[in-house]
Amino acid sequence: MSEPFKIGVVNASSRLDPARGEAIQAWMDQAYPDGDVRLVLHPALFETHGHFGGDDATRARAFIEFANDPRLDAVWFARGGYGSCRIAEAVLPQLTDVARKKRYLGYSDAGSLLALLYKAGFPHLAHGPMASDGARHDATGRRSVEWLRRGDPASLEPSLRDETRPAVAFNLTILNELVGTALEPDLSGHVLMLEEVSEALYRVDRMMFHLTGQASIRRVAGIRLGRVSDVTPNDPDFDLTAEEIVRYWCERSGIPYLGAADIGHDRDNKVVPFGRR
């Protein structure tokens, strides 16, 4: 019998309810009863420190331990929220060649850490559902696991099937905050996919103004827009859709608008590997 594929689950961001962790493990036991895929939950997964899932040192140490552990085949972020930008620069110098061989999957706040890893040349990174998403929706979790263990093309965002250019995906707020920092990767020539959640449309407009005004972002091959969901009310109404906002700023900045992307803060979120496939 072959060894099971082991996925380490870590938290780099906000605190995780222990009940959610139990739900993640229960889902895995139901989805993969033969044990050919196993989750390994880091002991620090449920630490708390104010808003965060443990203080910065605890979250950094947990990520480094699992990334460098040769007994684990992949690393899956437990959840988003906020916090990975606080540890990214600290963890990078401590990652080994073992860490570089692994696949890493997450989105939302995990994008800050994924961005720096991509900048550092890590080859197997992707924007996609996190472990807590799998506990809510079986198909979402399976999509993630199958990409983590074998790069399943059925898990991918559909436009990637015919795309020859490198691609990346980010939450708009996260990417907007990390441009100009040490975490920003070179996205020249990339198809950039964006999604957002729980923001008023005027804020989406303001972020697109800032993002598309960056010289580095103007070198992307184009922008695709994923879902902008749970839009918060604005009085008066902003009177533009999210797509109209993105089209406007793409046209104004000279960045090609490439259409829709099947990503977002929802159960239908697809996997977008960073770089070329």
Side-chain angles (χ1 to χ4, degrees):
M1 183 176 177
S2 61
E3 285 291 313
F5 187 89
K6 294 180 181 178
I7 301 172
V9 178
V10 295
N11 185 12
S13 307
S14 302
R15 59 170 64 188
L16 182 71
D17 189 327
R20 181 71 62 81
E22 292 174 4
I24 292 169
Q25 186 61 64
W27 168 78
M28 175 59 72
D29 294 342
Q30 179 274 326
Y32 295 89
D34 294 338
D36 54 330
V37 181
R38 292 183 185 172
L39 293 185
V40 181
L41 307 184
H42 194 280
L45 198 60
F46 308 116
E47 292 287 327
T48 62
H49 185 78
H51 167 92
F52 303 105
D55 62 21
D56 291 351
T58 296
R59 300 195 320 282
R61 185 165 55 250
F63 180 82
I64 292 164
E65 287 173 359
F66 267 19
N68 289 342
D69 191 336
R71 296 168 297 180
L72 300 176
D73 301 295
V75 173
W76 200 7
F77 290 97
R79 63 155 301 168
Y82 171 67
S84 74
C85 65
R86 295 170 63 103
I87 69 171
E89 290 180 89
V91 305
L92 183 61
Q94 301 184 62
L95 299 179
T96 66
D97 288 342
V98 170
R100 285 183 174 269
K101 296 176 182 178
K102 287 185 171 69
R103 285 196 171 102
Y104 298 81
L105 183 64
Y107 72 112
S108 192
D109 183 68
S112 293
L113 189 47
L114 292 173
L116 185 58
L117 295 178
Y118 189 53
K119 180 179 181 179
F122 279 60
H124 306 301
L125 312 167
H127 174 288
M130 290 180 280
S132 54
D133 297 316
R136 295 189 185 100
H137 307 295
D138 180 67
T140 309
R142 290 177 185 271
R143 185 183 311 131
S144 299
V145 170
E146 293 309 311
W147 182 80
L148 282 168
R149 72 168 175 168
R150 58 190 182 92
D152 184 13
S155 300
L156 302 185
E157 198 281 330
S159 70
L160 296 176
R161 295 168 188 161
D162 301 317
E163 184 58 71
T164 59
R165 296 168 293 191
V168 291
F170 288 97
N171 172 263
L172 172 59
T173 296
I174 297 301
L175 182 59
N176 188 58
E177 294 295 333
L178 65 82
V179 291
T181 73
L183 277 59
E184 182 185 6
D186 183 1
L187 301 182
S188 300
H190 287 62
V191 173
L192 171 59
M193 303 187 196
L194 299 171
E195 53 83 19
E196 189 52 88
V197 66
S198 301
E199 293 286 358
L201 289 175
Y202 82 88
R203 293 176 181 170
V204 172
D205 190 81
R206 184 168 59 197
M207 286 188 284
M208 286 302 300
F209 151 71
H210 180 259
L211 186 67
T212 60
Q214 305 301 310
S216 58
I217 297 300
R218 291 188 177 187
R219 293 195 290 269
V220 301
I223 290 176
R224 286 188 176 275
L225 179 63
R227 287 175 289 283
V228 177
S229 57
D230 189 31
V231 175
T232 57
N234 187 73
D235 186 19
D237 188 77
F238 195 66
D239 204 31
L240 288 174
T241 67
E243 183 182 19
E244 287 170 337
I245 291 168
V246 173
R247 282 182 177 274
Y248 172 84
W249 288 107
C250 281
E251 181 177 356
R252 183 161 164 172
S253 61
I255 299 172
Y257 178 71
L258 304 176
D262 192 6
I263 62 171
H265 272 67
D266 53 40
R267 65 190 302 170
D268 295 321
N269 190 23
K270 302 303 189 298
V271 176
V272 180
F274 283 24
R276 296 185 185 276
R277 284 143 308 286

